[in-house]
Amino acid sequence: QALEVATSFSILGDLVAQVGGERVKVRTLVGPDEDAHAFQPRPSDARGIGSAAVVVVNGLGFDDWMTRLARAGGFQGKVVVASEGISTLEMSREDGHGHDHGHDHGKDTGKAVDPHAWQDVANVRRYVANIAAALAAADPQGAATYRAAAARYDGELQALDAEIRAAFAALPAERRKVVSSHAAFGYFARAYDIRFLSPVGVANNAEPTAKGVAGLIRQLAAEKVPAVFIENIADPRLIERIRSESGAVVGGTLYSDALSKADGPAPSYVRMMRANLATLQKALAAPER
């Protein structure tokens, strides 16, 4: 009998599958190319995850709705917070973090925790260790299997992390600047020394102001930002407007909060990070026109 594990969104679903393999059956609520920020659960979702043996969330205010949903569905167990133990980043309220869905950490200080910790591969190594420990606790007979799978996968993640670091280290500093549609790349920026400028804050449903867009376009021109990027979960019209008014090149699609579908370029976490790396490298390494 496979261990039933419920996760909030596609990236976590993949991490659980990497560690759990054949021993687990993963149910993911927010699927590929879907936006967890805008997710509206159905009553059937609560029933479905209430019967799971393990519930895994990202934490950091990203998917608090998942914990509430699990409890509403009758889940009695401990909710596993995959991000536990990582070094978090803060962002200011100006990042457009004023939406609900439980993204409300630090609401009185004007600061919020940035929940997109998976954009730094070193953090995902911690996610994997936390997931492996939780699966082993829920299914002690499989503990050795989970540990072995986590160790194998950790080796893959270490290699991926080194590959991304080396690729960006090879780019001149003045080209390590990009614009994306959603402030989801703070951890990526910190880990790999790239500057991300964003016209919208953390929530994709935050409307950018005309003043904000105009300010960004001036900044693009002043700093000679090489490229702007669309995200797989975002409305492309904003980036198109910035591109047309600034003359910056649209460098392609970046995967921030969701994997692609199975036939897309980013069907797993490792492939997502490689796809983002390839997209960024190609746009940023282009010679000056």
Side-chain angles (χ1 to χ4, degrees), residues 50-241:
S51 61
V54 179
V55 170
V56 183
V57 299
N58 180 74
L60 310 179
F62 183 75
D63 47 10
D64 292 354
W65 51 265
M66 180 76 172
T67 304
R68 293 196 290 270
L69 204 60
R71 297 290 181 229
F75 179 74
Q76 301 290 329
K78 177 176 174 283
V79 173
V80 180
V81 179
S83 63
E84 204 163 290
I86 66 141
S87 158
T88 57
L89 275 175
E90 275 192 340
M91 60 205 160
S92 69
R93 283 275 157 231
E94 287 65 68
D95 282 335
H97 205 82
H99 52 87
D100 52 13
H101 271 322
H103 303 239
D104 53 6
H105 282 243
K107 59 181 153 223
D108 299 328
T109 60
K111 290 283 181 188
V113 174
D114 182 343
H116 308 88
W118 59 85
Q119 286 293 344
D120 176 352
V121 180
N123 287 340
V124 168
R125 294 178 62 195
R126 179 60 66 95
Y127 278 41
V128 167
N130 290 338
I131 288 166
L135 295 182
D139 172 24
Q141 286 177 308
T145 307
Y146 299 134
R147 274 198 292 274
R152 174 200 57 76
Y153 190 49
D154 186 64
E156 203 178 326
L157 293 173
Q158 270 183 280
L160 174 66
D161 194 39
E163 184 185 326
I164 298 172
R165 280 174 197 285
F168 288 123
L171 280 179
E174 70 275 7
R175 293 203 68 82
R176 294 201 296 262
K177 287 185 288 206
V178 299
V179 168
S180 77
S181 45
H182 164 74
F185 294 96
Y187 290 92
F188 192 100
R190 178 177 74 174
Y192 307 115
D193 196 21
I194 292 200
R195 280 188 62 208
F196 278 81
L197 309 169
S198 175
V200 190
V202 171
N204 276 324
N205 50 8
E207 278 299 311
T209 61
K211 188 171 148 227
V213 173
L216 184 74
I217 288 166
R218 281 197 301 276
Q219 191 178 359
L220 284 180
E223 297 199 30
K224 301 188 173 65
V225 172
V228 297
F229 295 87
I230 298 164
E231 280 177 58
N232 65 318
I233 57 167
D235 183 338
R237 287 174 301 190
L238 169 68
I239 287 291
E240 176 49 39
R241 185 174 141 201

Side-chain angles (χ1 to χ4, degrees), residues 246-263:
S246 71
V249 176
V250 174
T253 300
L254 293 178
Y255 291 84
S256 56
D257 295 15
L259 302 177
S260 70
K261 296 195 167 58
D263 58 353

